[in-house]
C-alpha cells in the first residue's frame, strides 16, 4: 500500500494526511464513473460551490454513486465506498444557470474515513488498483468480449457501426472492460459491481455474463417484433382481400350481410375476458364464419354461437359488500319471524365472506370447495322461500336470478342441446347466468321437487354436477362445449316436499325446513309487509285505506287455513279493490276495513263451521296430516253394519295407510275386554272406515293411533273428544312410534282451534321447536302406548291424566323418523 500511496502522491492528487489522501466527494445518482473515461456531468446547485473550490485547488474530486437515487442530500452510509478519482477538465454554467462540468476518470479509490466537518463531503481515501493478469487466458477473454460486444450492438436498434469498431479496437484489457461497461445497457447496480471487482479477468467474465443475458433479451425482442409485424401484415392482407370481396359482392348484388361483421366479431373476441379454451374455440368458429357466405345455412348458427361465447360473463364478478349486521338488518326488514332460518342464512353469508377474504391463500382451494354448501329451503307454499333467496342476494350485494324446475323433464333444459340440432340453445343454467350478468350471482332453483324424467333424460341427474362444489368448476354445457366455472355461484333450492327429490340430489344439499306461521306471526307479516305492499301496488295511501287488527285476524281465521300467507295476501288485495270502488263510486275519503267490511267483501266464511265443529258421535277422530301445502286436520270416520267381520277402506288410501287400518282393527279386537266391547260384535259386523276428501291420495303410517281411537270409539260407543288432534304410528303390541312433520301438524291443530294434541313420546323434543304462542294455548300429551292415548282422548276421561302418565314412561320401540307421505295429503 505504501507504493500505491507514493504513486498517488506523485500524481499530485489530493492532500496527503497520515498516508491517506483527503478529497472532496461528488455524489452521482443513477450512474457510475469509470477510470480512463471522460464524461460530462450536470452539477446540482448544492454541489456547484464544491466544484468551484476544486477548480481553485487541484481540480480533483472523488466520484461515488448514491445507493438510493431518491436521497437528495446523501450522507456517509448512503454512498458506495468504491469510486473513481477524476480531474475536472472544464466547468461552466450554461444559459439556464446550470453548471456543466467535464470530468476525466483517473483511477479507482476506496473510502477509508469520512470527514464531515466542512460544508461539503470529504473523505480520506486509499488507492485501489486493479489486478491486471497476463497470459493467453486474458487474451481469449478479450477476444470473446469483443465478439460479444459486436453481436449485442448488431442486435441493438439504432446502434452505430463506429461504436462497435471503436470498442473492438481497444487493446488495453482494463480500458476495454470499462468502456464496454459504460456503453452497454446495464443497471447501476451491475456497473457498480463491475467497478468494485479487483481482477480484470473477473471483470470480463462478469461482463460476458451480462452481455449474454442482454443478447438473449434482444434476440427474443426481435423475434416478438417480427411476429407482430407478420401478424400485422396478415391483418392488412385480410383487410385488402375483404375489400375486394366487398366489391365482388356489390357487383353480384349480395349486400344482405354487412361485410364488416367478421371484423366486428374479431374485435369483440379480442376485447372479451373469456379463458383460453373458449377463446380458442371462438377463433376457430370465426375462421369458419369468414369462409362462409351470409346466405349459407350455417352462417347464422355460427353467429349465434359466437354471440353466446362473447356475451357470457366470464370475468364479471360482483364484489361482496356489506357486513353481518347489515345482512341481519336486511333479513329482519324482509321477513318477520323465521328466526332459526334467518340465523342459519346469516351463518352461511358469514362463512362465504370469510372464504372470499382468504381466497388468496394457495393451499385453501380444496377447503373452499368443501365449504360450497347448497341450501335447500323446504316448506309449504307462501312461507317466503323465494324471498329469502332475494334477501340473501341483497345482503351480499350480488345479482339474483332464478330458474323454475317445475315440469322440467328434458335433460337438455339443464345441459343444453348440441349444436348439430336445429334451433339448439344453451341450457337454462347458462341462460340464467348470462341474464344475471355476473359469474357469481345468487341462483334460486325453484320447485326442485317437481322435476321429472322421461325418455328425454333425467334432469335431476344433470343437476348433480351443477350442485356439486367439487365438480361444477368445469361445468360443460352441450351447446357451448367449453368449461364454465359455476363454483362461485350461490345455489339455493326450494321445495315443498322432500319425498320426490332423488336421494343423490338430496344428499348434495343442506335441508332447511320452513314449517309455517302462527296466527300472530301472520298478523305481524300482514301489517309489516302484505298490507303496505298491496297498498303500493294499488296506488293507495295509508290515509285512504286502513286495516284494523280484528279485521286482519278475521281474514286469517275464517278465510284462510294455510301454512304460508299467499291466500292472506290475495284476500287483502281483494279488499283493497273493494276500497278503491268505495273511494271512487261512493265518494269516501277514508276506508276503514273492519270485521263487518271483511264479511261484506269476502262473503261467507270458509272455515268458521269446521273450526267450531264439535261432534259427540262415536266412530270419529281427528288425525293430523302433512300435505305439500303444510299441515292439516284429517277426519277419520268409521261405521259398522251387520256382516261377517269384513273391513272396507275408502278415501284413496295408500298401501301403508291401509295396513295401519288393519293393524288398528286387530289391536282393538285383542283389547276388546279392556275396552268393554263384546268380542262377538267383530264377527257379526262389517266395518267401513273412510277418510274424507276422497279425491286426494293419502298415505303414511302416522294415522295409526287415530284409527285405533276411531275403531275403539265405534265399538265401545264412547265418542273421542272433538278438541283433540292425534298422530303417531301404531304396532300390534300397542306401541306408539314417532312420526315426522310434528311442527306442521301442531300448527295445523292450532289453526283449527283444537285444544289438545296427542303425540308419540319420542317426538317430545319436536315440541321445543313450536312458537311460545302455540305451546301456551295447546295441551300437548305425549304417549308411549295406545292405552295412554285412549285414556286421554275419550270424552269421559280427563285429558291431563294421560299426560302425567305418558311423560313418565320410556320408549324402547323403533319407528320412522318421518312419514312416507304421498302428494298432496299425508297422514
Amino acid at each position: 500500500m505504501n507504493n500505491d500511496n507514493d504513486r498517488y502522491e506523485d500524481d499530485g492528487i489530493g492532500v496527503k494526511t497520515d498516508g491517506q489522501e483527503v478529497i472532496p466527494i461528488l455524489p452521482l445518482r443513477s450512474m457510475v464513473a469509470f477510470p480512463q473515461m471522460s464524461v460530462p456531468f450536470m452539477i446540482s446547485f448544492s454541489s456547484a460551490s464544491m466544484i468551484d473550490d476544486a477548480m481553485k485547488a487541484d481540480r480533483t474530486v472523488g466520484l461515488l454513486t448514491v445507493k438510493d437515487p431518491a436521497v437528495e442530500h446523501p450522507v456517509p452510509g448512503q454512498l458506495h465506498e468504491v469510486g473513481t478519482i477524476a480531474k475536472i477538465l472544464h466547468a461552466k454554467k450554461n444559459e439556464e444557470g446550470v453548471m456543466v462540468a467535464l470530468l476525466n476518470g483517473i483511477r479507482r479509490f476506496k473510502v477509508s474515513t469520512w470527514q464531515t466537518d466542512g460544508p461539503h463531503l470529504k473523505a480520506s481515501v486509499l488507492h485501489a488498483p486493479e489486478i491486471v493478469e497476463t497470459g493467453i487466458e486474458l487474451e481469449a477473454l478479450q477476444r470473446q468480449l469483443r465478439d460479444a460486444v459486436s453481436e449485442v450492438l448488431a442486435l441493438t436498434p439504432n446502434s452505430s457501426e463506429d461504436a462497435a469498431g471503436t470498442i473492438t479496437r481497444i487493446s488495453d484489457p482494463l480500458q476495454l472492460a470499462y468502456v464496454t461497461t459504460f456503453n452497454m445497457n446495464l443497471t447501476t447496480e451491475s456497473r457498480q459491481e463491475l467497478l468494485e471487482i479487483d481482477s480484470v479477468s473477473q471483470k470480463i467474465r462478469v461482463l460476458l455474463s451480462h452481455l449474454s443475458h442482454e443478447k438473449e433479451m434482444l434476440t427474443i425482442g426481435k423475434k416478438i417484433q417480427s411476429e407482430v409485424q407478420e401478424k400485422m401484415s396478415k391483418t392488412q392482407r385480410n383487410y385488402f382481400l375483404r375489400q375486394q370481396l366487398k366489391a365482388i359482392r356489390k357487383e353480384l348484388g349480395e349486400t344482405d350481410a354487412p361485410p364488416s361483421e367478421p371484423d366486428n366479431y374479431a374485435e369483440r373476441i379480442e376485447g372479451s375476458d373469456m379463458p383460453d379454451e373458449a377463446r380458442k374455440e371462438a377463433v376457430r368458429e370465426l375462421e369458419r364464419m369468414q369462409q362462409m357466405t351470409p346466405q349459407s345455412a350455417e352462417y347464422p348458427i355460427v353467429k349465434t354461437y359466437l354471440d353466446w361465447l362473447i356475451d357470457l360473463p366470464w370475468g364479471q364478478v360482483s364484489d361482496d359488500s356489506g357486513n353481518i349486521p347489515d345482512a341481519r338488518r336486511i333479513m329482519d326488514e324482509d321477513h318477520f319471524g323465521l328466526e332459526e332460518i334467518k340465523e342459519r342464512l346469516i351463518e352461511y353469508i358469514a362463512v362465504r365472506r370469510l372464504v372470499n377474504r382468504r381466497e388468496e391463500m394457495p393451499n385453501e382451494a380444496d377447503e373452499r370447495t368443501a365449504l360450497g354448501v347448497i341450501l335447500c329451503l323446504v316448506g309449504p307454499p307462501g312461507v317466503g322461500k323465494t324471498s329469502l333467496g332475494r334477501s340473501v342476494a341483497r345482503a351480499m350485494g350480488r345479482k339474483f336470478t332464478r330458474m323454475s324446475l317445475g315440469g322440467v323433464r328434458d335433460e337438455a333444459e339443464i345441459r343444453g342441446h348440441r349444436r348439430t340440432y336445429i334451433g339448439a340453445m344453451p341450457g337454462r343454467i347458462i341462460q340464467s347466468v348470462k341474464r344475471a350478468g355476473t359469474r357469481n350471482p345468487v341462483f334460486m332453483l325453484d320447485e326442485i321437487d317437481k322435476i321429472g324424467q322421461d325418455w328425454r333424460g333425467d334432469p335431476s341427474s344433470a343437476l348433480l354436477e351443477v350442485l356439486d362444489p367439487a365438480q361444477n368448476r368445469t361445468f360443460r354445457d352441450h351447446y357451448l362445449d367449453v368449461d364454465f366455472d359455476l363454483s362461485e355461484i350461490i345455489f339455493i333450492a326450494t321445495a315443498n316436499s322432500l319425498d320426490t327429490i332423488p336421494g343423490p340430489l338430496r344428499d348434495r344439499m343442506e335441508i332447511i325446513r320452513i314449517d309455517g306461521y302462527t296466527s300472530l306471526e301472520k298478523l305481524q307479516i300482514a301489517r309489516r309487509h302484505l298490507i303496505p305492499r298491496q297498498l303500493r301496488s294499488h296506488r293507495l295511501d295509508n290515509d285512504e285505506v286502513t286495516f284494523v287488527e280484528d279485521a286482519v285476524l278475521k281474514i286469517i281465521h275464517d278465510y284462510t287455513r294455510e301454512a304460508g300467507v299467499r291466500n292472506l295476501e290475495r284476500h287483502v288485495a281483494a279488499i283493497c279493490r273493494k276500497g278503491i270502488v268505495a273511494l271512487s263510486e261512493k265518494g269516501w275519503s277514508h276506508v276503514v276495513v273492519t270485521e263487518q267490511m271483511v264479511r261484506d267483501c269476502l262473503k261467507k266464511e270458509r272455515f268458521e263451521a269446521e273450526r267450531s265443529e264439535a261432534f259427540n258421535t262415536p266412530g270419529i277422530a281427528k288425525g293430523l296430516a302433512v300435505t305439500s301445502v303444510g299441515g292439516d286436520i284429517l277426519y277419520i270416520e268409521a261405521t259398522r253394519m251387520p256382516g261377517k267381520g269384513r273391513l272396507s277402506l275408502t278415501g284413496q288410501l295408500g298401501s301403508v295407510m291401509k295396513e295401519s287400518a288393519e293393524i288398528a282393527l286387530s289391536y282393538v279386537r285383542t283389547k276388546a275386554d279392556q275396552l268393554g266391547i263384546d268380542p262377538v260384535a267383530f264377527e257379526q259386523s262389517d266395518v267401513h272406515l273412510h277418510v274424507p276428501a276422497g279425491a286426494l291420495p293419502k298415505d303414511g303410517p302416522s294415522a295409526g293411533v287415530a284409527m285405533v281411537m276411531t275403531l275403539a270409539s265405534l265399538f265401545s260407543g264412547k265418542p273421542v273428544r272433538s278438541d283433540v288432534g292425534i298422530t303417531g304410528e301404531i304396532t300390534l303390541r300397542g306401541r306408539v312410534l314417532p312420526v315426522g312433520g310434528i311442527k306442521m301438524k301442531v300448527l295445523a291443530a292450532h289453526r283449527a282451534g283444537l285444544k289438545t294434541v296427542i303425540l308419540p313420546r319420542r317426538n317430545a323434543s319436536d315440541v321445543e321447536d313450536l312458537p311460545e304462542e302455540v305451546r301456551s294455548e295447546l295441551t300437548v300429551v305425549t304417549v308411549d302406548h295406545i292405552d295412554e292415548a285412549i285414556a286421554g282422548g275419550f270424552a269421559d276421561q280427563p285429558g291431563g291424566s294421560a299426560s302425567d302418565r305418558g311423560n313418565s314412561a320410556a320408549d324402547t320401540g323403533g319407528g320412522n323418523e318421518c312419514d312416507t307421505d304421498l302428494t298432496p295429503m299425508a297422514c
Side-chain angles (χ1 to χ4, degrees):
M1 293 297 298
N2 293 335
N3 294 336
D4 296 334
N5 289 334
D6 292 342
R7 291 174 57 195
Y8 215 23
E9 184 179 4
D10 291 344
D11 289 333
I13 298 175
V15 178
K16 188 172 182 181
T17 304
D18 298 332
Q20 299 180 0
E21 309 300 328
V22 179
I23 58 175
I25 301 299
L26 178 63
L28 304 180
R29 289 179 176 81
S30 302
M31 71 171 297
V32 179
F34 298 103
Q36 305 183 23
M37 297 188 63
S38 297
V39 182
F41 292 90
M42 296 185 68
I43 308 300
S44 64
F45 178 78
S46 59
S47 301
S49 58
M50 185 192 72
I51 297 297
D52 291 337
D53 294 343
M55 290 289 292
K56 295 174 183 178
D58 58 358
R59 298 193 174 195
T60 303
V61 293
L63 305 179
L64 287 178
T65 302
V66 181
K67 295 179 181 179
D68 185 1
V71 178
E72 294 185 2
H73 303 287
V75 296
Q78 295 177 336
L79 295 163
H80 291 285
E81 296 193 347
V82 176
T84 301
I85 295 177
K87 281 282 189 178
I88 303 174
L89 301 180
H90 180 73
K92 181 181 179 182
K93 290 186 178 180
N94 58 17
E95 297 177 355
E96 299 176 356
V98 179
M99 177 174 285
V100 179
L102 180 64
L103 280 74
N104 181 39
I106 305 300
R107 57 180 61 128
R108 287 194 322 165
F109 74 90
K110 185 174 182 181
V111 175
S112 176
T113 58
W114 290 94
Q115 296 184 7
T116 58
D117 53 350
H120 307 293
L121 278 176
K122 290 185 179 182
S124 298
V125 301
L126 295 174
H127 177 40
E130 292 88 345
I131 302 173
V132 182
E133 298 87 347
T134 58
I136 192 170
E137 181 180 357
L138 182 61
E139 293 180 6
L141 288 172
Q142 286 181 265
R143 180 177 297 178
Q144 192 171 1
L145 179 60
R146 293 188 183 98
D147 294 340
V149 169
S150 300
E151 292 174 354
V152 170
L153 290 177
L155 293 171
T156 303
N158 303 322
S159 63
S160 173
E161 296 181 1
D162 296 338
T166 301
I167 295 175
T168 55
R169 284 194 295 270
I170 298 174
S171 59
D172 183 13
L174 183 58
Q175 185 181 9
L176 176 62
Y178 282 142
V179 172
T180 302
T181 302
F182 183 80
N183 286 279
M184 291 296 105
N185 184 22
L186 302 179
T187 63
T188 303
E189 290 75 12
S190 299
R191 293 180 177 181
Q192 180 66 32
E193 176 192 4
L194 286 165
L195 178 65
E196 294 179 0
I197 296 175
D198 295 331
S199 171
V200 175
S201 298
Q202 185 63 23
K203 285 181 189 289
I204 295 177
R205 284 190 173 92
V206 174
L207 189 56
L208 283 171
S209 175
H210 288 301
L211 290 176
S212 176
H213 176 74
E214 182 68 15
K215 176 185 174 183
E216 188 158 349
M217 293 292 292
L218 290 171
T219 302
I220 294 174
K222 192 171 183 179
K223 180 180 178 182
I224 293 174
Q225 185 178 9
S226 176
E227 291 176 353
V228 171
Q229 290 178 347
E230 181 180 353
K231 185 176 181 180
M232 290 180 62
S233 300
K234 183 178 180 181
T235 302
Q236 292 174 352
R237 174 176 174 272
N238 292 340
Y239 172 77
F240 288 122
L241 289 175
R242 290 195 186 98
Q243 292 299 317
Q244 293 176 1
L245 183 61
K246 177 182 177 180
I248 294 173
R249 285 176 174 166
K250 186 176 180 179
E251 291 295 327
L252 295 175
E254 298 177 356
T255 58
D256 294 335
S260 61
E261 200 165 38
D263 292 335
N264 180 35
Y265 278 103
E267 294 176 3
R268 292 172 63 190
I269 293 171
E270 187 67 27
S272 68
D273 50 5
M274 63 180 69
D276 293 339
E277 181 189 18
R279 189 181 302 276
K280 181 178 178 181
E281 186 68 18
V283 170
R284 188 176 71 85
E285 291 297 317
L286 179 60
E287 292 175 352
R288 289 184 58 218
M289 181 181 181
Q290 291 171 344
Q291 299 173 3
M292 300 176 186
T293 62
Q295 289 74 29
S296 172
E298 287 194 38
Y299 191 90
I301 297 176
V302 175
K303 179 181 174 182
T304 303
Y305 177 74
L306 289 176
D307 285 334
W308 273 102
L309 275 184
I310 296 171
D311 294 339
L312 279 176
W314 299 96
Q316 287 83 357
V317 178
S318 297
D319 296 329
D320 289 346
S321 59
N323 48 40
I324 300 306
D326 289 339
R328 194 181 299 277
R329 176 183 54 79
I330 290 172
M331 291 285 184
D332 291 337
E333 286 178 359
D334 294 346
H335 300 86
F336 178 82
L338 304 177
E339 298 303 329
E340 295 183 4
I341 311 300
K342 291 190 289 188
E343 188 62 31
R344 178 62 186 90
L345 293 175
I346 290 295
E347 294 171 1
Y348 180 78
I349 294 173
V351 171
R352 295 290 303 205
R353 288 179 57 78
L354 179 62
V355 170
N356 291 338
R357 284 202 306 268
R358 298 182 177 178
E359 65 181 353
E360 67 275 3
M361 300 175 64
N363 297 326
E364 298 292 329
D366 294 337
E367 287 78 359
R368 292 201 310 272
T369 300
L371 287 174
V373 180
I374 309 300
L375 300 181
C376 182
L377 306 178
V378 180
V383 294
K385 299 185 294 297
T386 303
S387 61
L388 280 170
R390 294 184 184 275
S391 296
V392 170
R394 192 158 73 94
M396 299 188 70
R398 295 194 181 194
K399 298 288 187 181
F400 178 83
T401 186
R402 63 178 294 274
M403 168 185 173
S404 178
L405 296 173
V408 173
R409 295 180 176 273
D410 190 353
E411 180 188 353
E413 293 284 331
I414 306 298
R415 289 187 173 275
H417 298 82
R418 299 192 182 278
R419 279 180 288 158
T420 53
Y421 297 103
I422 297 176
M425 292 289 285
R428 294 171 66 182
I429 298 292
I430 295 297
Q431 292 181 35
S432 299
V433 172
K434 178 188 175 184
R435 188 164 53 250
T438 61
R439 190 159 52 92
N440 63 338
V442 174
F443 200 125
M444 178 69 74
L445 296 170
D446 261 340
E447 311 295 346
I448 198 171
D449 57 325
K450 299 183 178 55
I451 197 168
Q453 64 180 30
D454 57 13
W455 57 271
R456 291 169 291 185
D458 184 4
S460 62
S461 298
L463 281 176
L464 295 178
E465 180 185 5
V466 174
L467 299 182
D468 192 338
Q471 301 180 31
N472 59 13
R473 289 179 178 273
T474 55
F475 175 72
R476 185 173 287 260
D477 187 272
H478 287 160
Y479 179 81
L480 298 179
D481 201 28
V482 293
D483 290 343
F484 190 88
D485 187 1
L486 302 178
S487 61
E488 296 186 41
I489 297 176
I490 296 178
F491 287 102
I492 300 178
T494 69
N496 297 131
S497 173
L498 290 175
D499 299 327
T500 56
I501 303 177
L505 185 59
R506 187 168 62 244
D507 183 63
R508 280 166 167 77
M509 301 184 293
E510 178 181 339
I511 307 302
I512 299 179
R513 295 184 179 274
I514 307 176
D515 294 324
Y517 302 108
T518 64
S519 297
L520 291 182
E521 287 176 335
K522 289 183 179 180
L523 174 62
Q524 293 298 326
I525 292 172
R527 293 175 58 186
R528 300 185 185 191
H529 301 286
L530 306 184
I531 294 175
R533 183 162 62 211
Q534 288 303 318
L535 292 179
R536 287 194 303 269
S537 64
H538 289 86
R539 302 299 186 268
L540 291 170
D541 296 331
N542 292 331
D543 56 356
E544 291 179 317
V545 176
T546 303
F547 285 77
V548 300
E549 184 173 305
D550 291 340
V552 178
L553 288 174
K554 182 174 180 60
I555 299 174
I556 294 171
H557 292 149
D558 297 340
Y559 293 93
T560 64
R561 182 178 290 181
E562 55 177 346
V565 292
R566 191 163 290 161
N567 285 328
L568 174 58
E569 186 169 12
R570 290 194 185 103
H571 291 312
V572 170
I575 294 175
C576 287
R577 293 193 296 270
K578 298 290 185 180
I580 293 176
V581 173
L583 292 171
S584 303
E585 184 179 11
K586 299 179 181 179
W588 293 2
S589 61
H590 187 200
V591 176
V592 178
V593 181
T594 62
E595 290 186 76
Q596 184 58 42
M597 184 175 178
V598 170
R599 178 67 172 79
D600 296 338
C601 293
L602 302 182
K603 306 306 177 185
K604 183 180 178 181
E605 293 84 352
R606 293 186 56 193
F607 298 103
E608 182 179 7
E610 191 171 348
R611 290 184 74 251
S612 60
E613 180 181 356
F615 50 80
N616 195 27
T617 304
I620 302 177
K622 291 182 180 179
L624 299 178
V626 175
T627 73
S628 61
V629 294
D632 203 352
I633 299 296
L634 192 69
Y635 285 85
I636 301 177
E637 303 173 349
T639 187
R640 64 190 180 109
M641 67 283 300
K644 298 181 180 180
R646 291 176 298 182
L647 175 65
S648 300
L649 302 172
T650 57
Q652 276 220 60
L653 307 185
S655 58
V656 176
M657 204 166 181
K658 290 179 180 179
E659 292 173 358
S660 296
E662 294 172 359
I663 294 172
L665 181 58
S666 298
Y667 180 80
V668 172
R669 294 185 67 176
T670 60
K671 299 295 182 178
D673 292 339
Q674 298 180 17
L675 297 174
I677 303 172
D678 184 4
V680 180
F682 294 103
E683 300 175 357
Q684 298 178 353
S685 303
D686 289 342
V687 177
H688 184 176
L689 190 145
H690 175 66
V691 182
L696 300 177
K698 312 167 191 71
D699 200 5
S702 64
V705 176
M707 289 180 172
V708 171
M709 300 282 284
T710 301
L711 295 174
S713 171
L714 175 67
F715 283 97
S716 67
K718 300 176 182 179
V720 180
R721 291 168 52 190
S722 61
D723 62 347
V724 174
I726 308 163
T727 187
E729 183 180 357
I730 186 66
T731 70
L732 283 173
R733 295 181 298 145
R735 305 285 294 173
V736 178
L737 304 182
V739 293
I742 293 298
K743 183 176 180 180
M744 284 188 283
K745 292 175 180 178
V746 176
L747 288 176
H750 180 262
R751 287 195 298 268
L754 303 183
K755 301 301 180 182
T756 304
V757 175
I758 297 177
L759 305 177
R761 180 163 303 114
R762 288 180 59 183
N763 287 121
S765 59
D766 295 327
V767 179
E768 299 175 1
D769 297 334
L770 296 172
E772 183 62 29
E773 169 199 353
V774 175
R775 284 187 288 177
S776 63
E777 296 181 8
L778 276 178
T779 300
V780 178
V781 179
T782 59
V783 299
D784 181 59
H785 197 275
I786 189 62
D787 294 342
E788 302 170 22
I790 292 174
F794 280 172
D796 60 348
Q797 298 290 338
S801 61
S803 177
D804 297 336
R805 292 190 303 271
N807 289 331
S808 64
D811 185 5
T812 58
N816 294 348
E817 293 298 328
C818 59
D819 295 341
T820 55
D821 301 334
L822 294 181
T823 304
M825 180 172 287
C827 59

